[in-house]
């Protein structure tokens, strides 16, 4: 049995987007299969009512994404097999594949973790053999059933694909299937690590359910890290919760000096940065200088989930609604404004009455 509470390292560090964050991961003394799990606190806020709102990046095996998604109090954006390139996805499963915490066969949904090192070694060998087979068949979907399709040759084959098929629209190789990545990448999902950006005011039920011997070991492992990261993080009292935006951008003293257009730009800048986790590892990515085009497209096309990570203290919002005349800017000032957050927060998604905007 693995004690998921042990061998956790907490590291405060400056992230590529310029904020100091708390990261929790399993150290080198832990089971090697735990090295891919990670939790990073991106933004940790308190409103005037002491309601805590936390945004974090969680890295876990893709196979437990459905379990994470059952928690409706979570706002989420995450990595997309449709959006990430075949080079990125194949590289990740070849160089850093998810390997299960194998359990012994047992009636019902779970069983005790396998402890026999020889059986774990053999199960791992077969798992990686299946990984190689899946990679080879993805490559065939891209370039056709050629003679040299071997998992160990994936880099050369992917380079060939980009040069002769993807960038030339298949004109250089008429025999290629050239199946889109939204189909081809699905074959290797069982071997993928997954990054999700999660925002919530409500964490207790998730931790009670998932930090448990009855939970799948993988979700037990990531939930333990997420809780450890939250325990190590100190929330800041602030009028706005805006992930990936520098703390000094907005404070109570200067907030009321902004026009609505200026305030909206700050909020939508955060939304655009949250959106980017779909196609890029957000924990290693710097912020973009100009998010105007992406932010405009999110609103115009009705892609509203990235707008669920930003929030304004309710009392501050009420005061702003008077000063900035939100009602003249198609901004919602009545009804349920918190969405799936606690009552003292106004969620950006619920500020907009008319979507899409012109």
């Amino acid at each position: 049995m693995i004690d998921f509470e042990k061998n956790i390292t907490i590291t405060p560090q400056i992230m590529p987007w310029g904020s100091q964050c708390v990261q929790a991961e399993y150290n080198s003394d832990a089971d090697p299969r735990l090295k891919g799990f990670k939790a990073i606190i991106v933004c940790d806020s308190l409103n005037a009512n002491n309601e805590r709102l936390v945004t974090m990046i969680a890295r876990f095996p893709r196979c437990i994404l459905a379990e994470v998604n059952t928690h409706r109090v979570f706002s989420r954006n995450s990595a997309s097999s449709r959006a990430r390139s075949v080079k990125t996805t194949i590289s990740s499963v070849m160089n850093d594949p998810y390997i299960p915490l194998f359990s012994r066969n047992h009636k019902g949904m779970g069983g005790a973790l396998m402890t026999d090192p020889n059986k774990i070694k053999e199960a791992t060998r077969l798992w990686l053999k299946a990984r190689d087979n899946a990679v080879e068949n993805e490559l065939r979907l891209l370039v056709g059933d050629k003679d040299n399709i071997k998992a160990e040759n994936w880099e050369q084959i992917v380079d060939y694909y980009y040069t002769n098929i993807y960038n030339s629209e298949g004109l250089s190789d008429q025999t290629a299937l050239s199946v889109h990545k939204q189909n081809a990448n699905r074959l290797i999902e069982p071997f993928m690590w997954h990054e999700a950006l999660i925002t919530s005011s409500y964490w207790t039920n998730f931790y009670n359910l998932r930090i448990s011997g009855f939970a799948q070991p993988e979700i037990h492992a990531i939930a333990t890290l997420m809780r450890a990261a939250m325990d190590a993080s100190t929330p800041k009292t602030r009028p706005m919760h805006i992930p990936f935006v520098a703390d000094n951008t907005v404070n109570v003293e200067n907030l009321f000096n902004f026009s609505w257009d200026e305030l909206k730009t700050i909020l939508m800048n955060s939304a655009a940065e949250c959106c980017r986790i779909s196609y890029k590892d957000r924990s290693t990515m710097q912020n973009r200088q100009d998010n105007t085009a992406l932010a405009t497209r999110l609103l115009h096309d009705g892609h509203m989930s990235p707008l669920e990570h930003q929030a304004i203290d309710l009392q501050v919002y009420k005061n702003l609604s008077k000063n900035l005349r939100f009602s003249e800017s198609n901004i919602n000032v009545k009804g349920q404004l918190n969405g799936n957050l606690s009552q003292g927060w106004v969620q950006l998604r619920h500020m907009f009455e008319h979507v899409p905007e012109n």
Side-chain angles (χ1 to χ4, degrees), residues 94 132 135-136 139 149-157:
M94 290 303 297
D132 289 349
V135 167
E136 289 169 3
L139 293 171
I149 303 295
K150 298 291 182 185
E152 60 265 29
N153 299 330
W154 74 266
E155 289 182 277
Q156 300 96 297
I157 298 168

Side-chain angles (χ1 to χ4, degrees), residues 125-295:
R125 183 187 72 81
L126 293 173
W127 183 263
L128 293 177
K129 182 178 179 181
R131 182 271 319 264
D132 289 349
N133 185 266
V135 167
E136 289 169 3
N137 281 300
E138 173 165 6
L139 293 171
R140 290 186 179 96
L141 289 176
L142 299 175
V143 304
D145 195 7
K146 303 183 187 304
D147 292 336
N148 66 333
I149 303 295
K150 298 291 182 185
E152 60 265 29
N153 299 330
W154 74 266
E155 289 182 277
Q156 300 96 297
I157 298 168
V158 167
D159 286 344
Y160 174 87
Y161 165 72
Y162 279 113
T163 301
N164 297 285
I165 301 167
Y166 183 82
N167 292 327
S168 67
E169 297 183 348
L171 296 177
S172 298
D173 186 344
Q174 297 291 324
T175 65
L177 288 175
S178 193
V179 170
H180 193 280
K181 62 186 175 182
Q182 73 177 352
N183 306 123
N185 277 339
R186 302 297 184 188
L187 280 175
I188 59 175
E189 284 183 348
F191 313 97
M192 285 182 181
W193 291 98
H194 184 81
E195 292 88 32
L197 185 71
I198 302 172
T199 296
S200 187
S201 306
Y202 304 107
W203 297 91
T204 302
N205 179 254
F206 172 74
Y207 293 141
N208 286 343
L209 286 176
R210 304 305 184 176
I211 302 178
S212 163
F214 296 104
Q216 182 166 335
E218 283 81 358
I219 201 167
H220 188 167
I222 188 57
T224 302
L225 280 186
M226 292 163 71
R227 186 178 66 179
M230 278 188 63
D231 288 346
S233 177
T234 302
K236 294 183 180 180
T237 300
R238 40 167 77 99
M240 294 174 61
H241 182 85
I242 37 179
F244 303 113
V245 175
D247 287 338
N248 60 4
T249 301
V250 176
N251 55 53
V252 175
E253 288 73 28
N254 69 16
L255 189 59
F256 293 95
N257 294 324
F258 286 106
S259 67
W260 164 240
D261 286 341
E262 290 171 326
L263 192 57
K264 177 183 173 183
T265 297
I266 293 169
L267 290 162
M268 290 305 299
N269 180 60
S270 172
E273 294 295 347
C274 291
C275 168
R276 288 198 169 91
I277 196 170
S278 66
Y279 57 86
K280 189 77 172 178
D281 181 350
R282 183 63 261 199
S283 65
T284 63
M285 184 183 185
Q286 293 182 344
N287 284 0
R288 294 287 180 89
Q289 296 298 313
D290 186 0
N291 286 315
T292 305
L294 178 54

Side-chain angles (χ1 to χ4, degrees), residues 49-80:
N49 290 332
N50 268 345
E51 295 172 350
R52 189 178 184 185
L53 180 58
V54 178
T55 297
M56 70 171 76
I57 297 170
R59 187 175 191 261
F60 50 83
R62 195 181 186 297
C63 64
I64 61 168
L65 177 60
E67 294 179 65
V68 174
N69 286 346
T70 62
H71 295 270
R72 291 180 293 170
V73 292
F74 287 176
S75 290
R76 295 169 295 267
N77 286 101
S78 59
S80 169

Side-chain angles (χ1 to χ4, degrees), residues 101-131:
L101 299 167
F102 294 108
S103 300
R104 296 196 303 273
N105 186 35
H106 188 274
K107 289 183 178 180
M109 289 198 303
L113 287 175
M114 191 176 287
T115 57
D116 185 324
N118 291 324
K119 288 187 175 181
I120 293 173
K121 182 177 179 180
E122 177 62 7
T124 300
R125 183 187 72 81
L126 293 173
W127 183 263
L128 293 177
K129 182 178 179 181
R131 182 271 319 264

